[in-house]
Amino acid sequence: MRSDDVVETRVVVLVDQQDAEPVVRLALERGQQPAELVDPVDRGDDKVESHGRTLTPVPLVSVLMSVHNDARFVREAVDSVLRQTLPDLELVVVDDASTDATPEILSSVADPRLELMRNDERSGLAASLNRGLEATQARYVARLDSDDVALPDRLRLQVARLEADPRIAVLGCAVRDLDEQGVAGRQHRSPLGPRAVRWLSLFSSPFFHPTVLVDREVLDGLRYDTEYLESEDYDLWTRLLERAEGANLADALVLKRVHVGQASQRRGDVQESFQRRVALREIARVAPDVDAERAWRVGARKPYGARREFLRLLAAFERTHGSDRAVRAAAFRALMSPRPRS
């Protein structure tokens, strides 16, 4: 399907009385809005608040980064933040007990907007991000990983979108792969609209972690849960979506590094295990009578799922959040995706 194709999906379930298995009939119709493609978080109350370069007791954006032994890429990541076309920011970097040249590289950055913190002992990503989050001051909090690159207009465009649409409090964007040699590759997009974001959150993270910008007010009391190894972001987004709406920009405003040293490459099985745990919790919240495991397996393109349970989940979701073309298009793709013994 092309990204500019427009799809509306009607789901009709016919149940065979003999085996009680549904016959799925989905009709695609042309609509007027483009379908969205899916690939497999205190607002300051200060009395004086300025967002210019001369008076900045409270910056507009706090960018949060954690780094451990990433001397090869961290300077490029830091520079990409400090060169944003929206200059009213602070960059809070937590060095998670690095033993390579990372501390020296960070100390060499001569920009007053950079605040460095160091863990004496290795704490892990979630704990480090929580420590950095406590130090942030801005109205908005953004994330970037220490091996990724933010394109110059990223923060300006994201802030503009949040200020233009008060319903949205969590905003991500598309990403483009970046290899170890710095060559950009394939683009990946998450769903754009709030309903489609909520639907995807039942199966996996609806945001690319290093792309997110969050209204601080929504983060009140919320922190990363250190129990969710490799999926601490997904867990946080689902809890945050209980309070606010989320969306994504279609433009790839972050270059996401792909290399053998990153956690997603080394610990994919662990990540999937915790992702499944979060997903089953969220499905049970939306549709407690649905077989969450078998519905999730269809939505996550895993074997041994049950289309009937997936469609029951879709019906329960629509009763709560309403119908949406992008959601139905994503559901159609999941149903039609080949899965062994599904």
Side-chain angles (χ1 to χ4, degrees):
M1 188 185 339
R2 302 190 315 272
S3 63
D4 58 348
D5 284 342
V6 179
V7 179
E8 180 175 358
T9 308
R10 292 182 179 177
V11 180
V12 180
V13 182
L14 303 179
V15 179
D16 188 311
Q17 296 299 323
Q18 186 174 13
D19 59 9
E21 285 298 320
V23 177
V24 182
R25 186 175 299 164
L26 296 96
L28 299 183
E29 297 182 356
R30 295 287 175 182
Q32 296 183 356
Q33 297 182 5
E36 297 178 6
L37 302 181
V38 180
D39 287 327
V41 213
D42 304 314
R43 191 184 300 270
D45 293 325
D46 304 75
K47 293 182 179 179
V48 177
E49 182 171 335
S50 171
H51 301 303
R53 291 301 301 273
T54 54
L55 295 174
T56 57
V58 179
L60 182 60
V61 179
S62 294
V63 182
L64 182 57
M65 182 185 299
S66 172
V67 56
H68 174 75
N69 287 352
D70 206 0
R72 183 177 179 185
F73 301 119
V74 68
R75 183 59 191 257
E76 187 175 6
V78 167
D79 287 346
S80 76
V81 174
L82 299 178
R83 293 171 180 167
Q84 289 289 298
T85 57
L86 187 155
D88 187 15
L89 59 85
E90 64 175 2
L91 172 58
V92 178
V93 178
V94 181
D95 179 2
D96 193 15
S98 293
T99 57
D100 65 355
T102 294
E104 290 75 21
I105 292 171
L106 292 174
S107 296
S108 70
V109 178
D111 192 308
R113 296 173 298 171
L114 173 62
E115 179 177 349
L116 297 178
M117 308 173 70
R118 179 174 171 83
N119 297 335
D120 293 331
E121 297 181 354
R122 183 83 186 271
S123 300
L125 178 61
S128 297
L129 292 178
N130 284 339
R131 183 185 179 193
L133 190 56
E134 294 297 333
T136 59
Q137 305 177 54
R139 174 180 176 180
Y140 299 110
V141 177
R143 273 281 290 121
L144 188 70
D145 285 338
S146 62
D147 54 355
D148 295 337
V149 176
L151 297 186
D153 283 335
R154 174 204 164 174
L155 294 180
R156 182 182 64 81
L157 293 173
Q158 287 188 302
V159 167
R161 171 64 189 278
L162 287 188
E163 293 187 340
D165 190 346
R167 301 173 307 157
I168 306 301
V170 191
L171 184 67
C173 65
V175 298
R176 189 175 294 279
D177 289 341
L178 186 67
D179 70 14
E180 295 185 71
Q181 287 69 46
V183 178
R186 180 185 175 194
Q187 178 170 315
H188 306 272
R189 232 178 76 180
S190 285
L192 305 184
R195 285 198 188 101
V197 163
R198 287 187 178 278
W199 173 251
L200 181 57
S201 72
L202 300 179
F203 308 102
S204 63
S205 177
F207 307 107
F208 297 108
H209 193 188
T211 74
V212 167
L213 179 74
V214 184
D215 190 321
R216 173 179 289 278
E217 186 175 73
V218 181
L219 275 174
D220 183 30
L222 293 180
R223 294 297 182 264
Y224 292 95
D225 189 335
T226 58
E227 181 180 344
Y228 288 91
L229 300 175
E230 314 299 348
S231 291
E232 68 285 323
D233 58 322
Y234 179 23
D235 167 67
L236 180 61
W237 308 146
T238 57
R239 289 184 284 125
L240 194 148
L241 288 172
E242 295 181 47
R243 301 180 173 187
E245 297 289 358
N248 284 287
L249 296 178
D251 294 332
L253 303 177
V254 171
L255 302 178
K256 184 168 177 56
R257 192 83 61 174
V258 179
H259 60 94
V260 295
Q262 61 193 166
S264 60
Q265 301 291 328
R266 293 182 286 105
R267 305 182 64 187
D269 292 343
V270 174
Q271 185 178 53
E272 182 174 308
S273 175
F274 282 98
Q275 175 179 302
R276 171 181 169 275
R277 180 175 167 184
V278 176
L280 296 185
R281 180 190 73 197
E282 295 307 304
I283 291 174
R285 191 196 311 277
V286 172
D289 296 331
V290 166
D291 185 329
E293 175 72 34
R294 300 187 75 190
W296 172 75
R297 287 188 168 275
V298 175
R301 274 80 160 178
K302 304 293 182 183
Y304 309 110
R307 289 180 170 91
R308 178 187 180 90
E309 297 304 310
F310 181 79
L311 289 169
R312 292 180 64 210
L313 173 61
L314 176 61
F317 179 89
E318 291 189 341
R319 283 195 297 271
T320 301
H321 300 292
S323 177
D324 183 87
R325 286 193 179 104
V327 170
R328 290 196 169 195
F332 173 78
R333 289 191 295 273
L335 284 165
M336 296 299 102
S337 176
R339 293 173 304 278
R341 300 183 184 181
S342 61

